[in-house]
Amino acid sequence: MSDIKVIGVVGAGTMGNGIAHVFALAGYEVVLIDVEEDALEQGMSTIEKNLARQVKKEKISGEEKEAALGAIRTGTDLEDLRNVDFVIEAAVEDEQVKFEIFRRLDKITRNEITLASNTSSISITEIAAQTQRPEKVIGMHFMNPVPVMKLVEVIKGLATNEWTTETVIKLANELGKTPVQVQDYPGFISNRILMPMINEAIFCLMEGVSSKKAIDEVMKLGMGHPMGPLELADFIGLDVCLSIMKVLHNGLGEDKYRPCPLLRKMVSSGRLGRKTGQGFYDYSD
Ligand SMILES: NC(=O)c1ccc[n+]([C@@H]2O[C@H](COP(=O)([O-])OP(=O)(O)OC[C@H]3O[C@@H](n4cnc5c(N)ncnc54)[C@H](O)[C@@H]3O)[C@@H](O)[C@H]2O)c1
């Protein structure tokens, strides 16, 4: 997009740093914001590591890596997004946190720019309703790990207009991704289907149907999945999985979306998966 040069990314965690990575590599300037200094440092170090891996695999050159790193600025104040041309929010999957971020972004950024959310499940229509520009609010749902996965789910809220949708589709194409349009219903397509499968795998573990390794093995060897559902849950983050199940349960109102008690227990104990070193599996080394 010739008129979009500077991208604001809110949240420097698993997804935010991946999103900053792909935009910077595609030639955009990026302003990466997080409330935690530590998250910014960690995020930048992850981007550095992932770019280095791409150099090693000869996917990009050393110069491209340096240019991408040089294109990312960081900060802890949303006000730093005053002059950006597009914002994508990838903060925690918490409705109230996102609502507050969008209310502030609406005041801080120029009226004409698009505000996108990377939410996995929260209603785009409700996020958009926090702003005075609901027609310019949209879901741009990247998959994890962002530099590798091709899909971007593009979610239109009730008020999202065609111009906004086209803007996001073009941006996704420029990043080398494949955009797929879906309507705004809980979990969209990806998590409406994926998360109940992960939740059911956790029920199988809780009920002692089999061991965690066996459950993952069945899905890998039997169904051709590259990762088993429990490994994948650890990779996504168990807190993110629980938040999505709650959105599905509340939004669709059926018992089949009830979050597994073992998932709740893991999250309460702080075992959130890879990011904390412990989930269904141990990552402490
Ligand atoms: N993890 C996945 O596999 C995945 C995949 C697709 C989409 N998502 C979605 O992406 C979003 C981020 O998920 P994640 O896995 O990166 O989470 P994460 O926990 O790794 O990172 C979230 C970051 O947001 C920051 N944050 C919290 N409140 C903030 C605020 N008010 N302003 C700025 N930053 C704030 C936190 O400090 C943290 O660094 C969520 O909406 C999630 O549902 C996650």
Side-chain angles (χ1 to χ4, degrees):
M1 302 287 301
S2 53
D3 50 338
I4 295 183
K5 295 194 166 60
V6 188
I7 308 285
V9 180
V10 182
T14 312
M15 296 305 288
N17 73 60
I19 294 168
H21 172 140
V22 295
F23 272 109
L25 200 54
Y28 293 90
E29 273 180 60
V30 175
V31 184
L32 178 60
I33 302 292
D34 201 288
V35 280
E36 304 281 347
E37 276 287 354
D38 279 2
L40 289 169
E41 268 171 43
Q42 179 102 42
M44 286 307 293
S45 120
T46 304
I47 294 172
E48 220 268 316
K49 227 170 38 202
N50 289 339
L51 285 167
R53 186 177 306 138
Q54 286 177 301
V55 173
K56 203 166 164 201
K57 287 188 174 165
E58 297 182 355
K59 297 219 153 115
I60 62 170
S61 67
E63 292 75 46
E64 284 173 306
K65 170 187 170 228
E66 291 311 316
L69 281 174
I72 305 173
R73 279 181 284 140
T74 59
T76 51
D77 192 351
L78 274 189
E79 293 280 343
D80 292 348
L81 301 182
R82 188 166 294 282
N83 292 317
V84 300
D85 305 319
F86 179 90
V87 177
I88 169 129
E89 169 277 323
V92 281
E93 187 74 347
D94 177 310
E95 200 172 82
Q96 293 310 321
V97 172
K98 290 198 192 295
F99 288 176
E100 175 61 18
I101 290 173
F102 274 78
R103 283 195 289 266
R104 290 197 56 208
L105 286 173
D106 192 35
K107 293 209 177 80
I108 291 168
T109 60
R110 298 197 312 277
N111 280 339
E112 70 270 19
I113 76 162
T114 295
L115 304 176
S117 175
N118 185 54
T119 178
S120 301
S121 58
I122 296 169
S123 162
I124 298 300
T125 305
E126 284 181 41
I127 293 176
Q130 308 303 314
T131 73
Q132 303 298 314
R133 57 179 112 171
E135 73 286 358
K136 298 191 192 97
V137 175
I138 191 161
M140 185 178 194
H141 184 210
F142 288 86
M143 303 293 124
N144 184 12
V146 181
V148 177
M149 301 295 277
K150 287 277 175 225
L151 176 68
V152 172
E153 249 182 336
V154 177
I155 305 111
K156 284 179 76 165
L158 205 57
T160 311
N161 66 21
E162 273 313 306
W163 181 87
T164 303
T165 310
E166 284 307 313
T167 300
V168 168
I169 287 174
K170 275 191 201 151
L171 275 177
N173 282 323
E174 282 188 19
L175 299 176
K177 305 292 184 197
T178 306
V180 174
Q181 276 193 67
V182 309
Q183 298 300 323
D184 185 23
Y185 285 99
F188 319 130
I189 294 288
S190 51
N191 283 309
R192 171 97 176 247
I193 296 174
L194 172 68
M195 242 359 114
M197 183 196 73
I198 287 177
N199 197 47
E200 201 60 34
I202 304 171
F203 269 113
C204 288
L205 181 66
M206 186 181 79
E207 290 166 7
V209 179
S210 199
S211 70
K212 56 191 166 194
K213 269 196 120 71
I215 292 167
D216 279 343
E217 202 114 296
V218 166
M219 297 308 286
K220 283 192 283 192
L221 298 182
M223 319 300 157
H225 291 195
M227 286 174 118
L230 301 172
E231 275 178 280
L232 182 56
D234 278 354
F235 185 69
I236 292 168
L238 301 189
D239 53 338
V240 176
C241 295
L242 179 57
S243 301
I244 296 169
M245 284 312 299
K246 285 179 180 167
V247 170
L248 291 177
H249 197 208
N250 290 338
L252 298 164
E254 291 190 45
D255 279 353
K256 66 179 178 179
Y257 300 112
R258 175 174 72 103
C260 177
L262 177 57
L263 174 60
R264 289 183 184 276
K265 193 154 87 173
M266 300 281 289
V267 172
S268 304
S269 73
R271 294 183 180 186
L272 307 183
R274 277 177 191 246
K275 62 184 167 189
T276 58
Q278 177 77 54
F280 293 109
Y281 296 92
D282 182 24
Y283 307 92
S284 48
D285 53 352

